[in-house]
Amino acid sequence: MTEQFVDITADAPATRWFAGPPGWIFGALVAANVALTVVAYAGPGRFLVPWLVCAAGWIALGLSAVARIGLAVAQRGRRGAVGMRWLLVGAVVAGTAGAVFTGVPVRAGLQLAKPDMMRYAAGADTPARVGPYPVERAERLPGGGARFMIAGTGFLDGSGFAYAPDGVPPRIGEDTYRQLSDGWYLWTESW
């Protein structure tokens, strides 16, 4: 009687799943983290809590991707270690990084908030929201402008938008401004 040894790990469902190209679960997790990243970076100075969650998500997804690709490469003969699905995931991640780096989410949010901000600058009552943003406080500026502290942004220093149609908004204390477009600024209030 001869003994036969069978490699039970070679065809284990978890090993096959983890070593294969990304499926719908991994894709859904990447898509959810992309959406959370866009939300986190849509606020001036970032929304802190969504940013912390998406940063942890990117770390977990990155480690998972490295492990999956490494396992697929280690199992010689496995097809799809670097296939179209991995390229698609990479393209989505690169596109998200490019959008965040160029400020697309915050600029899109500003476009949605501009009408509400301009109404307030023209004399309307203090809004609870400007576009998609909850307002912590709003102040009118000399020269017909205004600035808005957006709730939940920044870490130690709050952030918001400033509208100064006649030039740079006044610097109060250690406030800083970064120009987004003509008359529109990202505002960071330092304490």
Side-chain angles (χ1 to χ4, degrees), residues 8-76:
I8 61 171
T9 62
D11 290 329
T15 304
R16 277 190 311 233
W17 176 82
F18 202 70
W24 70 271
I25 294 173
F26 192 84
L29 291 172
V30 168
N33 216 46
V34 163
L36 188 59
T37 300
V38 169
V39 167
Y41 281 91
R46 287 183 227 100
F47 286 110
L48 181 61
V49 173
W51 180 81
L52 290 172
V53 173
C54 80
W58 285 123
I59 291 168
L61 287 167
L63 291 173
S64 174
V66 168
R68 289 182 74 161
I69 292 170
L71 189 56
V73 170
Q75 291 184 340
R76 300 196 188 271

